């Protein structure tokens, strides 16, 4: 049986270094995203948010999440809402993202929407657009 050099990835194709595998994976995601894959856009957003194979960049991640959400990916709305909720000036935008994901019946969006609504209405950080909408239902 052939011995692998220490640190070699067992699933790496053609003996390429792990960095090359990430680069190739990113390349395939970019091609899929260009062809309209909302899932590829979501995965690219995750890569940029976590800094996997690319430099961590929340602004780019948010852009990919927005595009994934625009393509109908509910997880895109959720991840977009999470990033937006980190900034106090973007809470209403985060609430809106969670609402759109909840309309697609995405359970994490529904839960996040409830928490965000409670937070906005009890702390009065949103001078009521969100609360007014909810109280009218």
């Amino acid at each position: 049986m052939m011995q692998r050099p220490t640190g070699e990835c067992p699933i790496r194709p053609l003996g390429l270094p792990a960095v090359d595998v990430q680069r190739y994976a990113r390349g395939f995601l970019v091609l899929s995203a260009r062809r309209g894959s909302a899932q590829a856009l979501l995965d690219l957003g995750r890569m940029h948010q976590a800094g996997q194979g690319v430099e961590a960049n929340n602004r780019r991640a948010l852009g990919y999440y927005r595009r994934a959400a625009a393509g109908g990916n509910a997880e895109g709305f959720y991840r977009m809402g999470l990033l937006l909720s980190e900034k106090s000036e973007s809470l209403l935008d985060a609430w809106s993202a969670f609402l759109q994901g909840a309309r697609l019946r995405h359970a994490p969006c529904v839960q996040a929407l409830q928490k965000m609504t409670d937070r906005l209405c009890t702390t009065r950080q949103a001078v009521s657009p969100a609360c007014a909408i909810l109280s009218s239902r």
Side-chain angles (χ1 to χ4, degrees):
M1 190 161 159
M2 191 162 111
Q3 291 287 327
R4 277 195 194 95
T6 320
E8 186 177 349
C9 175
I11 60 170
R12 191 173 24 161
L14 307 175
L16 297 171
V19 173
D20 286 342
V21 172
Q22 285 183 336
R23 192 176 319 137
Y24 287 124
R26 184 177 181 279
F28 285 122
L29 288 174
V30 169
L31 286 174
S32 295
R34 286 181 183 158
R35 292 182 178 179
S37 170
Q39 183 62 48
L41 289 164
L42 179 70
D43 291 339
L44 284 167
R46 287 179 181 157
M47 286 178 72
H48 280 85
Q49 187 175 6
Q52 293 176 326
V54 295
E55 187 175 328
N57 186 328
N58 281 349
R59 179 174 283 167
R60 276 198 170 161
L62 184 60
Y64 282 118
Y65 292 151
R66 284 185 198 279
R67 290 172 55 200
N73 187 300
E75 181 76 12
F77 285 115
Y78 178 67
R79 296 212 174 247
M80 183 172 55
L82 289 177
L83 273 180
L84 290 169
S85 68
E86 293 176 359
K87 299 178 183 178
S88 60
E89 67 272 7
S90 301
L91 289 179
L92 215 47
D93 292 332
W95 182 86
S96 177
F98 291 139
L99 177 63
Q100 291 177 48
R103 286 181 176 151
L104 295 174
R105 301 187 196 302
H106 186 254
C109 281
V110 172
Q111 293 167 352
L113 178 64
Q114 183 60 49
K115 287 180 186 177
M116 176 76 56
T117 301
D118 293 345
R119 180 177 166 197
L120 288 172
C121 293
T122 57
T123 62
R124 302 200 187 277
Q125 288 178 343
V127 182
S128 282
C131 300
I133 292 169
L134 289 174
S135 62
S136 69
R137 293 181 180 191

